[in-house]
Amino acid sequence: MTLSLNECLENLALEVSANADMMEDLEVYSFFDVFSNYLIEAGEIDTADRCYFSPDSKGSSIRIDGYGGDPIDTDNRLNIIVCDYSKSKEIENVNKANIEGVCKRAANFISKCQDSNFRISLDSSSPEYGLADMINIRWPIIEKVRIIFITNKSLSIRRAEFEPLPINGVKTEFTCWDINRLQQYINSGKEREEISIELPNYGGSISALQAFGSDSPFKSYLCIMPGETLANIYEEWGNRLLEKNVRVFLQAKGKVNKGIRETLDKEPNMFFGYNNGITATASEIEYSVTKHGVAITRLVDFQIVNGGQTTASIYDAKRRGTLLKSVYVQMKLSVVGEEKSKEIVPKISQFANSQNKVSTADFFSNHPFHVVIEDFSRRIIAPPKEGTTLSTKWFYERARGQYAEARSQSSTQSERKKFDAINPRSQLVKKTELAIVMNTFRGFPNIVSKGADKSFVKFSNEIKKSWNEDEEKNLKFNEQYFKSAMCRVLIFRSLQKLVSSQDWYEGGYRRNIVTYAISKLQMILSSKGKRINYQKIWLQQYIPKEMEEYLIYISKKALIHLVNTPPGNSNVTEYAKTEKCWE
């Protein structure tokens, strides 16, 4: 399915509106949540935490909408998110002046975070205070500020036309996601937004030797990658280069190897001889043939599947001021087309890392678990809700855009209304949300608080293990598993809505409150040898009043616990991500 720009705008508006109704939220807040999920899916950020702050509303010189995690977890980059949301059903344009205004207000907030008087003026239990305090504490290690501008409007300038000024001496980068870029990403059908690297912009072309025969299913090259070029590429793209590297993805993102560091510092000219090099893949390359051989000039969908620590260590050497002119890295590059990518790239990743006895962490939408859950969601009919006679379905979206595609198959307005009635958007469940919910009920609220991406990795590994154990008997992942999973989603969403309506809830930390409250409920029930009656909830399609009241009670306790952070850790959102908080 290929969405037109107007269809993309319409689908985004429907998703924002449905989410706002479900959460009892303002649409502008819902827009942040919905669009941020696309950013996480695309690999732009690992997590997104809402933190709306604009003290005087109109005409304010300060404004932010959220941020993308602790800089200590993001290669010392501070990701600040700002929104420009329109309720118009027509595509509006956003110009350079609009962008400059929004980004300047975000820059003012970042700058003021280092002013103690400004921090003292904020409510110490508020998200903005926690963010301001974190920025102040992390400022000595922050090497780059990224202002991520998200909008459902159409950007009328090129990226090169807008470069933000440094903030207190720290380099600032501008990234824009408008409706055009979102449309391109959705239509690409890829798990991550494509990485396209024009090598002349990073230090020059790469020398390569062909290493494949006429009968090979893909093309391989032996390459010599200059250390400076590799460092420049990593500086721009960071851990997005390492998503298919099993070891890095699971354990050691961005870690610096001491042995590699010593070679870079003391014997840089021996690096090529001492180091094992890196293994990489690309879906496409561009090259020229010179008298010295092949010179690669462009890499599309470039991924380092083995050698993450080598890459991170070389980048670390660059930012410490180590000269890399005599550093070269051997690289085995496999060029695998999109049609074979999902089959071959995980195997290259797995075998390249086999000496460490790790299994593949790639867990894409074609894994049998997702296929089975999708099949159940299309077949199993949920009982009518109280006061209605209409049976509905819980639509599981294992691949991005499936719901929109299924809806678009309705050729008439009446057919579309029928589809919406049977498959209400309020019962659309994405695979990342299922991971969040299931991890909550399994007692991992700290993992859930780390965001959809990290939560999905945790869930994937557990499911993969269970699937392998259960594959022959097929006893666990049955219809009852599907029904109880959807009931868990129902409980999670119901509590989100309940929390929003409480007089003690002042905004912020909702997901943290909900995941901690439900995890605590499960712990209490387990200690008493009891469990939730999912069969009853499935038949009713709502949670009992007694459960509502008890969950609200625990949620208030959870909020009190979360905002009372230990000394030296005033950021509630970041505290919620720690094991200590759950313990």
Side-chain angles (χ1 to χ4, degrees), residues 224-235:
I224 299 173
M225 171 78 84
E228 283 187 316
T229 302
L230 185 59
N232 292 337
I233 291 172
Y234 187 80
E235 182 176 28

Side-chain angles (χ1 to χ4, degrees), residues 9 21 71 99 202 300 333 377:
L9 182 70
D21 289 343
I99 293 169
Y202 296 89
V300 178
L333 176 67
S377 79

Side-chain angles (χ1 to χ4, degrees), residues 457-487:
V457 172
K458 175 75 174 176
F459 178 66
S460 298
N461 292 328
E462 295 294 327
I463 287 295
K464 185 176 184 296
K465 181 181 176 183
S466 298
W467 184 272
N468 291 340
E469 292 172 352
D470 190 52
E471 198 164 12
E472 291 182 12
K473 297 178 182 178
N474 196 28
L475 297 175
K476 183 175 182 180
F477 301 106
N478 51 27
E479 290 193 11
Q480 189 53 47
Y481 177 91
F482 171 79
K483 290 177 181 178
S484 64
M486 295 305 106
C487 288

Side-chain angles (χ1 to χ4, degrees), residues 204-231:
S205 58
I206 298 171
S207 299
L209 176 68
Q210 291 186 4
F212 58 91
S214 59
D215 59 342
S216 176
F218 56 90
K219 296 178 180 180
S220 297
Y221 299 84
L222 294 174
C223 310
I224 299 173
M225 171 78 84
E228 283 187 316
T229 302
L230 185 59

